[in-house]
Amino acid sequence: FVESELLEPSTNAVASILLCEIAGLVGISEMAAPLRDLYTHAATQPIKEAARKAMLAIGIPEREIDRQGPIKKILVLEPNAFFRKRLVSALEAKGRTIVVTSDRSEAENALSANPVDLLLSESRDASGDLGPWIEQQWEQRRCSCVLLSSASHDLGTLSAKPWIIGRLYKPYPLSELTLVLGD
């Protein structure tokens, strides 16, 4: 019951905190995945802290709590065909699954079918600012994290989000991309 409720996005803040406390008291290691998911997608700091305490209580070391899992599946949202081709060639070399899109509607269709570990995205497309759309994809758990690959240095509030793992400003050498990804 606790595990299924932790994974339910509609659970309110007080219930989420209490569920974390129960998970920590029960101390079952199978609770690690839903607690980590709640921690990563916590809407408030108290929920994030409750999930952190519960993970510590079930034996997850502090250094492991913030560690991102391996990035195996990437969706590239890049309007520019030349740059899109360069990104894909750099990413495919590491044996990852790469999904390539040129606009938000293609990307949304791909993400709704199969969530990804990383959304590698421009900050704007032909329809305008991608910030709210990117945030919506993260909130719907369609991507675990986002790496911005942008021609614009004006990223607004998007760049301060905790699930943004980096920002690359075009043009950049592909070695910067592999450095951010830890390759």
Side-chain angles (χ1 to χ4, degrees), residues 44-123:
T44 66
Q45 190 58 38
I47 295 173
K48 189 173 191 110
E49 183 60 20
R52 185 186 75 76
K53 286 179 180 177
M55 285 190 283
L56 289 171
I58 64 171
I60 298 174
E62 183 84 42
R63 67 183 180 283
E64 297 290 318
I65 290 176
D66 285 314
R67 196 179 95 220
Q68 184 77 27
I71 295 174
K72 296 179 182 174
K73 188 168 185 181
I74 300 173
L75 184 131
V76 174
L77 170 51
E78 174 55 55
N80 181 293
F82 172 76
F83 210 73
R84 191 169 53 240
K85 185 177 178 180
R86 287 187 65 220
L87 290 172
V88 170
S89 67
L91 294 168
E92 284 179 332
K94 293 296 179 179
R96 295 181 174 106
T97 302
I98 311 297
V99 179
V100 183
T101 61
S102 61
D103 63 43
R104 73 181 79 193
S105 63
E106 283 181 21
E108 188 157 357
N109 289 336
L111 288 170
S112 64
N114 292 302
V116 296
D117 301 317
L118 174 70
L119 171 59
L120 175 58
S121 179
E122 173 62 78
S123 63

Side-chain angles (χ1 to χ4, degrees), residues 1 9 22 30 45 78 85 89 97 103 155 161 163 178:
F1 170 77
I22 292 168
E30 287 80 24
Q45 190 58 38
E78 174 55 55
K85 185 177 178 180
S89 67
T97 302
D103 63 43
L155 301 175
K161 301 293 183 183
W163 35 267
T178 57

Side-chain angles (χ1 to χ4, degrees), residues 1-8 30-31 33-34:
F1 170 77
V2 174
E3 183 177 359
S4 65
E5 287 298 310
L6 279 172
L7 293 172
E8 182 59 45
E30 287 80 24
M31 300 301 280

